[in-house]
């Protein structure tokens, strides 16, 4: 039986055309043709080696993803010069990101969109919480944990695809009052 990561990826890929393109619609009527790139799977040896080298433990649902793809780029719009597509990091990109981004030592970057980082909070995961993802800017100082998303990897992936790459966690913050005040 498929796990949620497999089911989400399988259904999503079935909607892509032969060149891995899809027409997306995001908030405020924005639409574009985008393509997706899926990396080759990681081996369990590579996952174990990553854990040994970094001291970070990868949650089971995130391992499920690595068994299928060692990273992916989603909703890439090649018509836009500075395309801010979603990059779900490979093991190598996570290792580089640990060095490249100023983040707390108990977090590691899992995905990036423009200046937005999605990180796995190892404190939450070690406490066996299923809600271990946080969002932060690449400019957020390392002494700040960012905002907890109250999500696991598999729920994040599911919602990212359903929202077609939109920042779904911000939707409840955009009330009618705020929207109309900012869009006069």
């Amino acid at each position: 039986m498929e796990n949620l990561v497999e089911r989400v990826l399988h259904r999503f890929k079935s909607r892509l055309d032969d060149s891995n393109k899809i027409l997306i619609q995001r908030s405020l009527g924005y639409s574009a043709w985008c393509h997706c790139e899926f990396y080759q799977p990681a081996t369990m040896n590579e996952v174990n080696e990553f854990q040994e080298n970094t001291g970070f433990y990868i949650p089971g649902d995130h391992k499920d993803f690595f068994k299928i793809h060692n990273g992916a780029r989603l909703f890439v719009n090649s018509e836009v010069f500075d395309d801010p597509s979603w990059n779900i990091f490979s093991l190598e990109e996570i290792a580089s990101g640990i060095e490249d981004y100023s983040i707390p030592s108990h977090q590691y970057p899992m995905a990036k969109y423009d200046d937005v980082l999605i990180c796995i909070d190892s404190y939450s995961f070690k406490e066996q919480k299923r809600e271990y993802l946080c969002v932060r800017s690449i400019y957020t100082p390392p002494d700040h944990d960012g905002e907890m998303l109250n999500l696991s990897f598999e729920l994040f992936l599911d919602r990212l695809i359903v929202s077609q790459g939109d920042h779904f966690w911000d939707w409840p913050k955009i009330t009618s009052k705020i929207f109309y005040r900012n869009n006069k």
Side-chain angles (χ1 to χ4, degrees):
M1 186 163 115
E2 290 179 315
N3 61 44
L4 182 58
V5 171
E6 291 172 323
R7 190 168 53 245
V8 166
L9 287 171
H10 176 76
R11 300 301 185 276
F12 178 60
K13 289 181 196 176
S14 74
R15 296 180 25 236
L16 300 173
D17 71 10
D18 292 338
S19 57
N20 282 346
K21 288 187 178 181
I22 189 169
L23 179 62
I24 65 163
Q25 180 171 341
R26 290 192 183 153
S27 296
L28 307 175
Y30 169 78
S31 65
W33 279 98
C34 296
H35 72 273
C36 300
E37 301 168 16
F38 301 97
Y39 306 167
Q40 292 298 313
T43 65
M44 286 318 305
N45 284 341
E46 291 170 320
V47 171
N48 294 334
E49 195 173 294
F50 170 86
Q51 292 179 134
E52 289 172 20
N53 291 339
T54 64
F56 287 111
Y57 183 77
I58 299 173
D61 53 351
H62 200 193
K63 285 181 185 177
D64 290 341
F65 178 79
F66 285 128
K67 291 176 192 174
I68 303 167
H69 297 294
N70 185 12
R73 288 191 62 220
L74 304 178
F75 310 111
V76 179
N77 182 348
S78 57
E79 295 176 11
V80 177
F81 174 70
D82 59 348
D83 170 49
S85 57
W86 274 101
N87 185 7
I88 299 178
F89 292 146
S90 67
L91 293 167
E92 296 81 13
E93 291 167 326
I94 292 172
S96 294
I98 291 169
E99 301 296 322
D100 295 344
Y101 302 115
S102 296
I103 55 179
S105 61
H106 62 277
Q107 294 180 358
Y108 65 90
M110 186 271 305
K112 183 177 180 292
Y113 177 92
D114 200 19
D115 64 353
V116 173
L117 278 178
I118 305 298
C119 295
I120 292 181
D121 184 293
S122 63
Y123 287 166
S124 297
F125 186 71
K126 283 181 185 174
E127 293 174 4
Q128 298 184 340
K129 294 182 180 177
R130 295 290 296 161
E131 297 87 15
Y132 51 77
L133 293 184
C134 63
V135 60
R136 58 184 300 113
S137 167
I138 60 173
Y139 306 111
T140 304
D143 61 344
H144 191 279
D145 282 347
E147 177 186 346
M148 291 305 292
L149 290 177
N150 299 318
L151 294 172
S152 61
F153 174 81
E154 62 190 353
L155 288 176
F156 173 81
L157 180 65
D158 182 52
R159 291 178 185 173
L160 182 66
I161 290 174
V162 168
S163 70
Q164 300 181 77
D166 215 346
H167 295 183
F168 60 86
W169 58 89
D170 285 335
W171 291 352
K173 300 173 193 169
I174 305 170
T175 64
S176 294
K177 182 178 180 180
I178 292 170
F179 173 78
Y180 291 114
R181 181 182 66 216
N182 294 338
N183 290 293
K184 287 185 178 183

